[in-house]
Amino acid sequence: MIVDDEPPAIDALVFLLRKAEVQVIFTTTDPLQALEYLAAHPDQSVDVLFVDIQMPVLSGLELIRAMLNTRQVEFYVLVSAYQEYAHESYELAPEILHYLLKPVRQAALCEALRRVEKRKQLMQVEEKLQLLRTDEEGTPFIIGRHEKRQRNVRIPLAELICVESRNADYKNQVVLTTVAHETYTVRNTLANIEASLPSPPFIRVHKSAIINLHQVTSFNGDFLWMSNSAGDPKRISIGLTYRKQLYDYLTDKNDVGA
C-alpha cells in the first residue's frame, strides 16, 4: 500500500516495486481514504505501507498512529524529501523499519524490502519458540491477542476449543476460540501451532482446523460440534483425510490424553 499526496511520487514508487516483483494492492493521495480502505476491508492484511510524511489533513506519522490500532498493517516504510524527520519517525513505533529519501532509488527500495523480509523471518522464529508456555503452577497456556479488546491474553489450553487458519489475505495468522466463544489471533502458521500443542487432545480435523477432543459435544460424518458456554455449539467441518483418526480417538476416550 502507498499513501502520498504527490501522484508522480506514487507512480515512481509503483514502478520500482513492480520491478522488484512486489504486489501493490492500493494507492491513494488521501490519508483518510487509506483508513477508509482498511475499514471497508477488515480481513485485508498489508505487509508494508509506504507513506509520505508531509501531507495535508493527516501527516504520515499521524496516519501511522491511526493505523497501528487496526493491526492490519505489519510494517511501515516512510518516504520523504526531508532527512530531519527520520529520528522522530523511528521513535514512534517498532513497526517502522526504514526511511526512504525522495527521489527513491531502486537500491534503497531493495534495502527497505530486505529489512522487511528479515524482520518477518525473525518474528516467525520468535513466535514459534514462544508459542506454548506454562505459568507458575505449571498450567500450559498460549498467548493470543483478543480480537475485540486488542490486547494480549493468556489462554489456558484447557479452555481452548479450536484453532483455525484465516483466509489467504491473513498469511501466517490463526484464530483461537475458547469455550466462552472469545476469539484471539496469533501470528503464526497452523502447522507451527499443531507442532506445539499436545496431541492428543489437540488433533487436526481439517486442513484449516485443529480441535480439542475434550471439548467435542457431538459429531456425525461431516461435522463435529464444540463446547460453547456462551451459546450454540461451534460447528467444525471434518476433512476426509483426517476422518479415520478423529473417529478412532472419539470412540476410544481412554486415548484422548490429559
Side-chain angles (χ1 to χ4, degrees):
M1 179 183 285
I2 303 171
V3 182
D4 195 313
D5 64 324
E6 299 176 352
I10 291 179
D11 293 340
L13 193 50
V14 168
F15 175 77
L16 294 177
L17 286 168
R18 286 177 176 166
K19 282 186 66 176
E21 299 184 343
V22 174
Q23 180 185 8
V24 179
I25 61 170
F26 183 77
T27 67
T28 181
T29 58
D30 184 351
L32 295 179
Q33 195 173 64
L35 291 172
E36 291 171 359
Y37 174 83
L38 292 181
H41 301 81
D43 289 339
Q44 179 71 61
S45 177
V46 180
D47 287 336
V48 58
L49 168 69
F50 292 87
V51 57
D52 187 21
I53 291 183
Q54 285 192 316
M55 295 185 292
V57 185
L58 280 181
S59 72
L61 298 183
E62 289 171 331
L63 178 62
I64 290 174
R65 288 190 186 97
M67 285 189 167
L68 286 171
N69 294 327
T70 72
R71 295 189 62 81
Q72 289 175 255
V73 180
E74 192 163 14
F75 301 113
Y76 301 86
V77 172
L78 293 167
V79 185
S80 177
Y82 305 97
Q83 177 71 45
E84 60 265 27
Y85 292 110
H87 182 70
E88 177 189 357
S89 65
Y90 283 126
E91 291 182 341
L92 177 62
E95 290 86 353
I96 298 175
L97 295 189
H98 205 52
Y99 190 102
L100 293 174
L101 283 175
K102 293 180 178 179
V104 177
R105 306 297 183 187
Q106 188 76 46
L109 176 63
C110 288
E111 172 61 19
L113 295 174
R114 186 193 67 80
R115 290 192 183 191
V116 169
E117 186 59 32
K118 185 176 180 180
R119 179 68 66 87
K120 288 173 67 175
Q121 292 174 355
L122 179 62
M123 287 176 60
Q124 290 172 5
V125 170
E126 290 175 345
E127 288 164 356
K128 185 174 180 179
L129 292 174
Q130 297 176 6
L131 274 176
L132 194 60
R133 311 179 191 181
T134 55
D135 62 17
E136 299 79 6
E137 298 178 353
T139 302
F141 68 89
I142 190 168
I143 292 180
R145 188 167 187 85
H146 197 284
E147 290 204 293
K148 291 183 179 178
R149 295 195 290 270
Q150 289 297 302
R151 61 184 179 88
N152 291 335
V153 177
R154 288 185 179 188
I155 309 161
L157 294 193
E159 296 180 10
L160 191 61
I161 65 171
C162 65
V163 183
E164 299 169 281
S165 59
R166 278 202 154 163
N167 58 43
D169 289 332
Y170 274 88
K171 294 177 291 186
N172 296 335
Q173 189 173 102
V174 299
V175 178
L176 315 178
T177 305
T178 65
V179 291
H181 211 57
E182 299 282 348
T183 55
Y184 306 81
T185 57
V186 173
R187 287 178 178 271
N188 217 303
T189 65
L190 196 65
N192 285 344
I193 298 285
E194 182 180 23
S196 301
L197 293 173
S199 176
F202 291 93
I203 66 167
R204 182 87 72 110
V205 297
H206 191 274
K207 65 180 181 180
S208 61
I210 299 167
I211 60 102
N212 182 351
L213 290 165
H214 291 312
Q215 301 295 343
V216 176
T217 58
S218 61
F219 65 97
N220 61 22
D222 300 306
F223 303 99
L224 48 80
W225 285 262
M226 309 299 298
S227 301
N228 179 7
S229 63
D232 294 332
K234 179 178 175 63
R235 190 177 76 170
I236 302 286
S237 296
I238 303 171
L240 183 62
T241 305
Y242 309 94
R243 194 164 294 174
K244 184 181 184 304
Q245 175 187 243
L246 172 65
Y247 289 168
D248 287 345
Y249 277 123
L250 290 175
T251 53
D252 188 353
K253 297 293 187 180
N254 292 327
D255 286 341
V256 170

